[in-house]
């Protein structure tokens, strides 16, 4: 219950402080679609930058691209998405409510004691892996799993439901053809594999990274920005020599976990989950799960995709997609290890870690503050600058400091309200540092710098502020 409240509190906080709004809110919103506000957009961009730079700047052998959302429709035929990108669904005949059958069973398992829940989930995994839809329906009926709305167990058969959104290109009806909104960014990398390899003169092993929007017609959209119909992915495909996939899979599992721990989140909040049911393209796959307020759930997938995608595109396009390996004098279709992380889920993770209602009450005074302990390098605003009063030349000095700092990092200026109130507003949006210009500044050129997490205040020479903040908020 406490955790459920925590998610509700995070959602309210995000709305109140300009991080995340429901889409088209004045029309009562659009289910499972969200808009990022002024601070959410900065936070999201900083996380995206951190991932992008970790991949393309910190690795000599990874380059980044930005492929279009629309792709030739045959891409999705070749990739298997037209035929296979579907989830097993079941409808309750009384409420007409549709469920993903695995979510329905997982929800039921959550109500059971641990040992029983484990057995239920193992049986479900087994049935899913075997694509045994009548077995799944039987299982739901045998366990007398009920619909949350109607309270009955009156279920339809289990059916597959394709998750891709389609639309049409071409203005004249006869010329129009169906195209899809991409359900993953990965295929934009595969179809550009040779373009990039040749123009960047990349030698295997090498990676291509990309961030961008993906779209899925999720049936059960829930848990805020965890599961959306329009979301953003950060994906990297690492092209390797066939036969080396096991070692590179282990390499990327370790490298990605290191990245996560580098966010300052403790190791016990993460775990690996190996896939029992492998996707049609994979020979090994696991998720990095994070302990969200609603339990451990997938944050990132690491997949050993074999040569499936390139081979499929080779077959459907009729174009060769092989690499000439000068070390062994051989042409081959490379194998691929994929790392695929949801940007929005990472935003939710950072917010879940950062959000705190801190009790500051003393014996004679009740007090508390809402704060976001966002890692300084990811904070939307790095430095807030306040003149203590609106007169005596203090605003001018504060604005001069802003001018000096703003080419380097995002600053915020405010002169209204008592200083304590201004600090609290910055705590709520996660600003790690505030600087106050006061009368002493005019005498000795020092300022008060106040730290968000500890609320400690210290004096520092005005001339050192820019460098200090840059040092404290740097990514690498
Ligand atoms: P799930 O099992 O939760 O539906 P998935 O296994 O289908 O996820 P992948 O296809 O591996 O997800 O996509 C890679 C990453 O993209 C996921 O780890 C997740 O972080 C993100 N992602 C996938 N679907 C969504 C969604 N609907 N909303 C937000 N992020 C998503």
């Amino acid at each position: 219950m406490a955790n459920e409240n925590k998610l509700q509190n995070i959602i309210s906080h995000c709305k109140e402080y300009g991080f995340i709004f429901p889409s088209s809110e004045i029309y009562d919103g659009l289910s499972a679609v969200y808009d990022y506000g002024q601070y959410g957009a900065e936070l999201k961009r900083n996380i995206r930058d951190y991932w992008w730079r970790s991949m393309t700047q910190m690795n000599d052998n990874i380059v980044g691209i930005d492929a279009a959302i629309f792709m030739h429709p045959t891409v999705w035929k070749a990739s298997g998405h037209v035929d296979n990108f579907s989830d097993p669904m079941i409808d309750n005949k009384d409420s007409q409510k549709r469920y993903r059958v695995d979510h329905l069973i997982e929800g039921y398992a959550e109500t059971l004691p641990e040992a029983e829940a484990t057995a239920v989930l193992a049986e479900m995994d087994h049935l899913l892996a075997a694509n045994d839809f009548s077995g799944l329906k039987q299982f739901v009926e045998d366990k007398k799993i009920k619909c949350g709305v109607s309270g009955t167990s009156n279920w339809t058969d289990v059916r597959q439901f394709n998750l891709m959104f389609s639309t049409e290109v071409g203005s004249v009806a006869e010329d129009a053809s169906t195209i899809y909104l991409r359900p993953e960014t990965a295929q934009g990398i595969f179809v550009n594999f040779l373009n990039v390899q040749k123009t960047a003169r990349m030698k295997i092993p090498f990676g291509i990274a990309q961030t961008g929007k993906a779209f899925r017609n999720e049936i059960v959209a829930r848990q805020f920005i965890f599961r959306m119909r329009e979301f953003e992915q950060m994906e990297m495909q690492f092209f390797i020599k066939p036969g080396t996939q096991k070692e590179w899979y282990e390499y990327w599992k370790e490298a990605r976990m290191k990245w996560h721990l580098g966010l300052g989140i403790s190791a016990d909040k993460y775990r690996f989950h190996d896939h029992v049911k492998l996707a049609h393209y994979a020979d090994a796959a696991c998720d990095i799960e994070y302990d969200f307020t609603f339990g451990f759930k997938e944050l990132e997938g690491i997949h050993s995709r074999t040569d499936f995608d390139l081979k499929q595109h080779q077959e459907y396009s009729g174009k060769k997609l092989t690499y000439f390996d000068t070390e062994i004098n051989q042409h081959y279709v490379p194998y691929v290890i994929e790392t695929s992380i949801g940007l929005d889920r990472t935003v939710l993770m950072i917010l879940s870690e950062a959000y705190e209602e801190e009790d500051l009450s003393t014996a004679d005074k009740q007090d508390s503050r809402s704060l976001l302990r966002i890692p300084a390098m990811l904070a939307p605003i790095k430095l807030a600058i306040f003149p203590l009063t609106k007169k005596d030349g203090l605003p001018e000095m504060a604005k001069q400091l802003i001018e000096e700092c703003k080419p380097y990092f995002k600053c915020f200026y405010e002169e209204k309200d008592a200083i304590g109130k201004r600090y609290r507003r910055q705590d709520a949006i996660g600003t790690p540092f505030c600087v106050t210009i006061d009368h002493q500044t005019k005498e000795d050129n020092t300022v008060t710098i106040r730290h968000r997490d500890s609320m400690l205040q210290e004096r520092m020479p005005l001339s050192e502020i820019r460098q200090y903040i840059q040092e404290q908020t740097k990514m690498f």
Side-chain angles (χ1 to χ4, degrees):
M1 196 57 192
N3 271 342
E4 220 165 82
N5 281 345
K6 184 167 177 194
L7 181 62
Q8 281 315 316
N9 291 344
I10 291 171
I11 295 171
S12 309
H13 190 90
C14 282
K15 184 153 180 287
E16 187 177 344
Y17 289 97
F19 279 82
I20 300 165
F21 309 120
S23 157
S24 329
E25 197 189 2
I26 56 169
Y27 293 98
D28 297 332
L30 179 66
S31 166
V33 186
Y34 290 91
D35 296 340
Y36 284 82
Q38 65 279 17
Y39 297 126
E42 292 285 347
L43 171 63
K44 185 176 168 191
R45 201 183 60 102
N46 292 340
I47 296 173
R48 189 194 296 112
D49 274 0
Y50 179 52
W51 181 91
W52 180 265
R53 290 176 56 191
S54 305
M55 284 294 177
T56 67
Q57 185 175 324
M58 303 307 281
N59 290 290
D60 302 336
N61 59 351
I62 298 182
V63 291
I65 64 164
D66 184 10
I69 286 171
F70 290 138
M71 302 184 75
H72 194 285
T74 313
V75 165
W76 305 111
K77 193 81 195 137
S79 68
H81 283 83
V82 171
D83 296 324
N84 292 318
F85 194 55
S86 47
D87 282 333
M89 301 294 166
I90 191 164
D91 293 14
N92 183 272
K93 289 187 196 161
D94 298 322
S95 65
Q96 314 289 328
K97 193 166 161 53
R98 179 165 290 173
Y99 294 87
R100 246 177 78 169
V101 76
D102 55 334
H103 288 167
L104 183 70
I105 297 173
E106 278 167 10
Y108 165 72
E110 277 168 19
T111 65
L112 301 174
E114 201 177 327
E116 242 179 282
T118 310
V120 162
L121 294 178
E123 176 64 13
M124 176 188 81
D125 278 345
H126 172 72
L127 292 165
L128 282 170
N131 275 332
D132 183 352
F133 294 161
S134 55
L136 280 164
K137 184 184 178 192
Q138 195 61 50
F139 190 60
V140 168
E141 283 180 344
D142 288 350
K143 296 286 171 203
K144 299 194 171 49
I145 299 178
K146 291 191 172 55
C147 165
V149 179
S150 68
T152 69
S153 305
N154 192 9
W155 299 106
T156 61
D157 288 342
V158 176
R159 288 181 311 249
Q160 291 286 58
F161 183 93
N162 196 293
L163 300 179
M164 279 199 295
F165 284 103
S166 62
T167 184
E168 297 198 330
V169 276
S171 48
V172 190
E174 306 87 75
D175 294 344
S177 60
T178 300
I179 55 167
Y180 299 98
L181 295 185
R182 66 180 177 201
E184 62 175 29
T185 59
Q187 298 304 322
I189 295 178
F190 290 125
V191 299
N192 279 299
F193 158 69
L194 271 192
N195 282 340
V196 174
Q197 189 270 317
K198 287 194 170 141
T199 55
R201 299 156 56 84
M202 303 305 281
K203 276 201 165 9
I204 272 177
F206 74 92
I208 304 180
Q210 168 163 237
T211 70
K213 288 277 172 112
F215 304 82
R216 296 182 186 179
N217 195 2
E218 301 279 4
I219 290 308
V220 188
R222 46 178 190 178
Q223 288 143 347
F224 195 34
I225 56 170
F226 179 81
R227 187 174 300 284
M228 300 197 286
R229 298 209 164 99
E230 173 181 343
F231 58 99
E232 199 163 333
Q233 291 185 312
M234 306 189 287
E235 297 198 301
M236 194 278 299
Q237 311 293 327
F238 199 70
F239 298 90
I240 54 172
K241 195 167 143 189
T244 62
Q245 64 268 34
K246 274 208 172 65
E247 64 209 72
W248 282 114
Y249 177 65
E250 292 305 325
Y251 172 89
W252 279 109
K253 271 176 74 169
E254 197 186 316
R256 292 305 301 150
M257 186 57 93
K258 222 165 134 194
W259 185 87
H260 285 284
L261 296 174
L263 293 169
I265 298 174
S266 71
D268 61 354
K269 295 301 256 333
Y270 293 108
R271 71 180 188 200
F272 284 110
H273 169 79
D274 290 320
H275 286 203
V276 179
K277 182 184 180 192
L278 290 174
H280 55 279
Y281 50 74
D283 72 356
C286 67
D287 299 330
I288 293 179
E289 295 185 336
Y290 166 75
D291 191 6
F292 287 95
T293 53
F294 36 85
F296 274 98
K297 296 276 179 224
E298 171 174 352
L299 171 67
E300 171 159 12
I302 298 164
H303 308 128
S304 174
R305 290 183 82 124
T306 68
D307 55 1
F308 174 84
D309 300 87
L310 289 178
K311 275 218 168 123
Q312 287 290 105
H313 288 306
Q314 202 168 247
E315 190 185 323
Y316 278 73
S317 67
K319 308 276 176 359
K320 256 197 158 155
L321 293 176
T322 52
Y323 169 83
F324 182 67
D325 192 328
T326 49
E327 272 174 27
I328 52 172
N329 262 338
Q330 260 180 31
H331 289 276
Y332 56 75
V333 177
Y335 269 46
V336 172
I337 305 296
E338 165 182 80
T339 70
S340 173
I341 176 169
L343 176 51
D344 311 272
R345 285 188 191 178
T346 313
V347 171
L348 183 57
M349 170 177 77
I350 295 290
L351 289 171
S352 308
E353 285 289 315
Y355 177 74
E356 194 179 329
E357 288 293 332
E358 197 179 28
D359 187 0
L360 300 171
S361 301
T362 53
D364 36 48
K365 197 171 151 230
Q366 286 249 326
D367 194 11
S368 68
R369 64 169 181 158
S370 300
L371 85 156
L372 292 177
R373 296 182 194 271
I374 299 173
M377 66 175 176
L378 303 178
I381 308 271
K382 305 289 192 262
L383 174 65
I385 303 174
F386 307 140
L388 185 64
T389 64
K390 282 188 216 167
K391 38 185 210 232
D392 304 332
L394 301 183
E396 286 71 17
M397 289 182 88
K399 283 177 183 164
Q400 206 177 332
L401 180 59
I402 294 249
E403 288 308 309
E404 188 200 332
C405 291
K406 75 182 185 192
Y408 300 94
F409 47 80
K410 184 115 175 122
C411 303
F412 182 87
Y413 174 82
E414 193 170 44
E415 53 184 37
K416 239 182 95 200
D417 291 330
I419 208 78
K421 259 195 171 165
R422 285 184 258 171
Y423 285 152
R424 293 291 167 89
R425 278 202 287 270
Q426 295 306 309
D427 290 342
I429 62 168
T431 305
F433 304 100
C434 296
V435 156
T436 300
I437 310 275
D438 55 19
H439 292 94
Q440 195 185 326
T441 314
K442 287 172 75 178
E443 282 158 28
D444 64 6
N445 269 316
T446 64
V447 295
T448 301
I449 180 160
R450 187 254 193 194
H451 301 262
R452 174 196 67 201
D453 294 349
S454 60
M455 297 198 288
L456 283 178
Q457 302 185 16
E458 54 183 327
R459 287 206 78 90
M460 194 181 267
L462 180 58
S463 58
E464 288 175 15
I465 293 295
R466 175 178 70 74
Q467 217 183 353
Y468 176 76
I469 303 294
Q470 260 187 294
E471 188 58 33
Q472 295 296 313
T473 59
K474 67 176 191 216
M475 288 186 173
F476 302 104

